[in-house]
Amino acid sequence: MIAGLGNFYFSRIFVYNDNGNLTCGTELIQDLFKSLGGISTASLDEYIELVRQYDTWDWTKTNNLLSKDMNLLYRILSRDDFYNNIMDKIRTSFKIILNDTDKLLLKIEHQRDDEYIKEKMKNIVYKVIKGRNCAIVFAENNVNEISQELYSNKDVDIAVIVGPNNINYRTNKNVDVNEFAKYFGGGGHAKASGSLITKESKDIYLKSIFKE
């Protein structure tokens, strides 16, 4: 779908930014804004870079925890509260700095996440699917973090996270999970894809558990 947009005269596809790093939608919007004469600031540029690093998972290469924390704050706060929080930082400082309330909220959420992930890692199912070594976990939150934990087993080709309504496929190997997901009616990117769990699949699952 995305690649097909490149066939139209009115669109261009950018995968990397001018620095050679993977880009994201937020950074592309900012680039468009600048090209139209918009003025940016150091703190806004820093925030856009934090978003880019999280969206492309580049934050793991430099262990930039502020990038991860910004995404976590977005998850904790309402959309309006997060917007006001970030805009206050951008307007009043040259850098993105966490305040005491941010730090307290993040500390609590980090503890919850650690406990959640630890519990989910107790129930890993290993299975070869379509010739790939898969580690399967049932979870609806922290998909990327759980995937990172599953990658610690070097024999794992694909991390499979099964949620209530969809399945996420992640990999850090030379594997195209977009093609893998297509086997199950899904798709996405080469390193991160997904597929839906149909009503028919849920019915089959429930019948297998509650046999009459």
Side-chain angles (χ1 to χ4, degrees), residues 22-57:
L22 287 169
T23 190
C24 69
T26 304
E27 185 177 49
L28 291 173
I29 291 295
Q30 187 199 34
D31 289 344
L32 176 62
F33 177 72
K34 287 181 177 180
S35 72
L36 296 174
I39 299 174
S40 188
T41 65
S43 54
L44 177 58
D45 288 343
E46 181 186 7
Y47 173 68
I48 297 296
E49 175 60 13
L50 292 173
V51 173
R52 186 202 68 77
Q53 287 192 28
Y54 189 83
D55 282 357
T56 62
W57 216 239

Side-chain angles (χ1 to χ4, degrees), residues 132-202:
R132 298 296 184 181
N133 294 325
C134 298
I136 306 169
V137 170
F138 290 83
E140 54 186 304
N141 299 316
N142 301 95
V143 171
N144 289 323
E145 289 80 5
I146 290 174
S147 297
Q148 290 296 313
E149 290 292 325
L150 295 175
Y151 296 155
S152 62
N153 183 338
K154 295 182 179 180
D155 292 329
V156 172
D157 296 321
I158 301 174
V160 181
I161 317 299
V162 182
N165 298 303
N166 64 292
I167 304 174
N168 291 282
Y169 311 99
R170 299 288 189 271
T171 187
N172 66 345
K173 300 284 182 64
N174 187 26
V175 177
D176 188 341
V177 291
N178 174 46
E179 292 299 321
F180 184 83
K182 287 180 180 178
Y183 286 116
F184 311 104
H189 301 288
K191 298 299 180 183
S193 293
S195 60
L196 295 176
I197 299 176
T198 64
K199 181 181 181 302
E200 290 74 17
S201 296
K202 291 179 181 179

Side-chain angles (χ1 to χ4, degrees), residues 52-69:
R52 186 202 68 77
Q53 287 192 28
Y54 189 83
D55 282 357
T56 62
W57 216 239
D58 274 357
W59 74 268
T60 60
K61 298 177 182 178
T62 58
N63 198 33
N64 188 351
L65 297 180
L66 182 57
S67 173
K68 182 181 180 183
D69 284 343

Side-chain angles (χ1 to χ4, degrees), residues 66-78:
L66 182 57
S67 173
K68 182 181 180 183
D69 284 343
M70 283 295 102
N71 183 75
L72 192 53
L73 271 180
Y74 177 73
R75 198 175 83 192
I76 297 170
L77 301 174
S78 70

